[in-house]
Amino acid sequence: MKIVIIGAVAGGTSAAAKARRNNEEAEIIIFDKDKDISYSGCGLPYYIGKKVKDRIELVPRNAAFFKKKYNVDVFTEHEIIDIDAVGKKLTVKNLITEEVFIQDFDKLVISTGARSVIPNIPGVNRENVLYLRNVQSADRIKTFINENNPKKTVIVGSGFIGLEMTENLKALGIDVTVVELALQVMPPLDKDMTIYIEEYLGKKGVNLVLGDSVAAIEGELPNTKVVLSSGKIIETDFVIMAVGIRPNIEIAQNAGIELGATGAIKANSKMQTNFDYIYACGDCAESYSLITGKNIYRPLGSTANKTGRIVGDSITGGSLEFRGILGTGIFKVFDLVVAYTGLSEKEAIKEGYGVVICYNIKPDKAVYYGGEEMTIKAVADKNTGKLLGVQIVGTSGVDKRIDVFATAITFGAKVEDLFHLDLAYAPPFSTTKDPVMYTGMILDNAINKGRELITPEELKTRIENGEKIKVIDTRVTKQYEVGHVEEAENIPQDKIRKDLENFDKEQITVTYCNKGVTGNAVQNILINNKFKKVYNLSGGFKNYKTQSK
């Protein structure tokens, strides 16, 4: 059996390695038009920012390594210019010698990855407009910085690459302005969580321009100007374009290989295309959501490695099948860590779920051991009680919690299940009831125990619409005087029982404290005293204040 693989980064090399482990007799060949193979694309921003000192740390394996360890023939700087899917033949061009030859195959793996989106705007191809996609593009950015000693840059786009590059260029002493078309950074997240990121970036001296786009790039270094659609002009030394990526599917499409709803290559659970002897994996292939079952395109290194392994197993008769993904992601910008998994609130609503939202602000470990607060937003289905998605912003312990949440969602956990998880506890690592457990408790109380939550946005909207709502600030008077919800009356918890007879039990009531715990305690008191409709302000005044900025 002759297995030919197009593409030698995460998906392609994972497929080759797994196929070889399963089958010692197969002939395995990889073609890649790049010079580097099996590199860590996610480490590139840190290579530019000098946190990764040596290029070899990102590209530890070369063609000789794969030949020696796996008996796999890897040909770099070889481009596939045509696929004859029916005839099982490839037309290959050696980019060094320009020789063109035919390569036959029994099984074909398409792992052609993705490329940076190049917007159609004047000046986008100037020498000081740079993109980060592979190691060579990172080399170009490093060379540009070393040779020109730039003092300022504009980063277009605020996704993973845009924000990671923001950190690393600031570390080099370069002033950074981020331009984002959306009205928030990191568009996949809900806006109420990105507020925390935007506030933090401002404190770090990052200039944010939201709800605007680049109309043109004019002039050469050192007199380059970025002209925005609003008419605003930003002077800069260079531009990093980070507006997204799109799958490399043209050669597959021309060969009659079917694309999916997302525009990436359509593949079944065995990663087979509409030709059962042709497979697709990595950033050129679409995935599907574990929650909705619908096709999605979430190009991540973790998914590329996973689908590559499945392809290698499938080709050689194994039983592995792709089960879908949650789209779990994590990144850091300076000391802030941002993570998410599953559906956001806006995605869940779009899918037709009746959502319940909670904000949980808790330290990652015992405060006396240096615990630092993280803000957790969780989305659950009111009808089934299932957890649908989580977003977390914090400085410590975020990775641990997002992985627990991702595991829980993968296995169909309901919110009440989270409290029963037997999670590890010691003061240096967690609180006695872990933030994951607290999140489950809050949602369980809201969905199953009648302790309903209200978000800051909903409270403000309902008051603006003229609803008569009694808002009670349950904190001590000193805290109330520092700041409070404008419509709130201050009745501390220790006084609430004395004032019950003065309340209208039929009126909608909202309780709150600083982060939610005391607000919930007073909510319980009111409900147990036959109040008809009592909400607790989710995340308390701390979250309300942030959302109101």
Side-chain angles (χ1 to χ4, degrees), residues 473-475 511-519 536 540-542:
D473 187 318
T474 69
R475 300 172 300 165
T511 63
Y512 75 87
C513 59
N514 202 37
K515 292 184 284 187
V517 175
T518 304
N536 186 22
F541 182 67
K542 189 162 193 175

Side-chain angles (χ1 to χ4, degrees), residues 127-359:
E127 289 186 7
N128 61 339
V129 179
L130 303 166
Y131 301 79
L132 180 63
R133 183 58 193 161
N134 57 17
V135 184
Q136 291 175 69
S137 65
D139 289 336
R140 283 192 289 273
I141 294 172
K142 282 180 72 73
T143 299
F144 178 89
I145 292 171
N146 291 337
E147 291 180 351
N148 295 283
N149 192 28
K151 297 295 187 290
K152 51 187 179 293
T153 186
V154 171
I155 297 177
V156 186
S158 65
F160 284 106
I161 295 297
L163 293 183
E164 288 172 348
M165 284 298 293
T166 295
E167 172 190 343
N168 284 283
L169 293 178
K170 284 286 285 185
L172 297 177
I174 299 171
D175 186 58
V176 176
T177 297
V178 177
V179 176
E180 170 57 59
L181 175 61
L183 294 171
Q184 63 179 73
V185 299
M186 201 62 193
L189 297 181
D190 289 321
K191 183 171 175 56
D192 50 11
M193 293 299 284
T194 65
I195 290 172
Y196 289 93
I197 307 171
E198 291 160 12
E199 183 179 43
Y200 178 83
L201 290 172
K203 291 177 180 177
K204 288 292 184 178
V206 177
N207 309 304
L208 289 179
V209 179
L210 303 177
D212 209 342
S213 60
V214 177
I217 301 170
E218 301 175 348
E220 303 294 341
L221 180 73
N223 299 308
T224 299
K225 295 179 180 179
V226 175
V227 182
L228 303 185
S229 298
S230 63
K232 182 177 181 180
I233 295 176
I234 305 172
E235 294 184 353
T236 189
D237 294 325
F238 70 111
V239 177
I240 297 289
M241 279 289 174
V243 295
I245 62 173
R246 60 168 53 105
N248 291 320
I249 47 77
E250 287 77 11
I251 193 169
Q253 186 177 25
N254 292 339
I257 294 167
E258 188 177 350
L259 304 184
T262 66
I265 298 173
K266 183 178 181 179
N268 63 17
S269 63
K270 288 284 191 179
M271 305 311 297
Q272 293 169 300
T273 68
N274 51 311
F275 295 89
D276 62 8
Y277 48 86
I278 299 179
Y279 300 74
C281 61
D283 290 355
C284 65
E286 68 179 9
S287 304
Y288 70 89
S289 167
L290 267 171
I291 299 173
T292 67
K294 294 182 178 180
N295 292 329
I296 56 176
Y297 182 63
R298 300 287 170 83
L300 293 168
S302 53
T303 302
N305 276 277
K306 184 184 297 181
T307 54
R309 177 179 169 84
I310 292 169
V311 164
D313 193 61
S314 297
I315 287 177
T316 51
S319 60
L320 278 179
E321 293 190 36
F322 184 52
R323 298 182 180 182
I325 59 171
L326 296 173
T328 306
I330 189 169
F331 68 95
K332 67 179 285 291
V333 54
F334 303 104
D335 293 324
L336 192 70
V337 182
V338 182
Y340 58 92
T341 189
L343 301 181
S344 64
E345 179 185 1
K346 58 191 174 190
E347 288 172 333
I349 291 172
K350 185 178 179 181
E351 291 295 331
Y353 289 98
V355 300
V356 176
I357 306 299
C358 88
Y359 301 92

Side-chain angles (χ1 to χ4, degrees), residues 16 29 43 79 98 192 210 232 257 285 368 376 452 469 481:
I29 302 169
E79 182 178 7
E98 297 191 351
D192 50 11
L210 303 177
K232 182 177 181 180
I257 294 167
Y368 60 78
I376 301 172
E452 294 185 68
I469 299 175
E481 289 174 347

